[in-house]
Amino acid sequence: MSDATDLEIADRLGVQLIRFLKLVGKAGAQCQASHEDGIERASYALLACLVTAGPRRTTALAESVHSDTSTVSRQVSALVQHGLVERRPDPADGRACILAATATGERVYERNRRVRNGYVAELLADWPEQDRKQFIELLSRFNTQFETKGDQR
């Protein structure tokens, strides 16, 4: 069982995580309003996964983004309609298909990545380099812990 100090720290972190999620939601909504492509923000996570991790089946894509297959299927349909993702025959099983980012999808992903990176760089511009590196390390460690222990709950 955790002691009072551990729970106090967990509570303070929980408050900051909720604050962060609200801010991310607000920034995402503002970003969505400025996009003219009509793609849902959540669909960009699918596109990013396909660009960075490569083609995969819908079930594997859903697992990669911690979502359910029906939601991913709906979002993929929109990406396909916009020409950002294509369905290809699965070489391992001709009855199935794999999803892959198109060249246009890769360009859209890279454009959004540049915008995001510029925004984050601007937010952290006055942080010392060592603080930025430490933040990355700690956030990465937290995310890894969350992924491994969170799946056990």
Side-chain angles (χ1 to χ4, degrees), residues 14-57:
V15 167
Q16 291 306 314
L17 288 172
I18 290 168
R19 180 180 173 205
F20 177 70
L21 291 173
K22 287 179 182 178
L23 291 168
V24 167
K26 179 181 175 184
Q30 290 171 341
C31 184
Q32 182 72 28
S34 68
H35 282 297
E36 297 174 6
D37 53 24
I39 300 298
E40 291 181 26
R41 195 169 27 123
S43 297
Y44 281 111
L46 302 178
L47 180 61
C49 184
L50 292 172
V51 169
T52 60
R56 57 196 54 230
R57 287 184 179 186

Side-chain angles (χ1 to χ4, degrees), residues 60-116:
L61 182 58
E63 189 175 294
S64 296
V65 297
H66 309 288
S67 188
D68 63 271
T69 305
S70 62
T71 300
V72 168
S73 292
R74 180 184 57 77
Q75 292 169 332
V76 163
S77 292
L79 292 170
V80 169
Q81 285 178 338
H82 285 84
L84 305 177
V85 168
E86 63 185 2
R87 290 182 173 91
R88 299 178 184 163
D90 186 339
D93 180 356
R95 299 168 295 164
C97 72
I98 57 173
L99 304 165
T102 63
T104 301
E106 290 177 3
R107 283 192 300 276
V108 166
Y109 167 77
E110 286 301 328
R111 182 180 67 230
N112 282 291
R113 182 176 180 207
R114 281 192 303 275
V115 169
R116 181 197 68 218

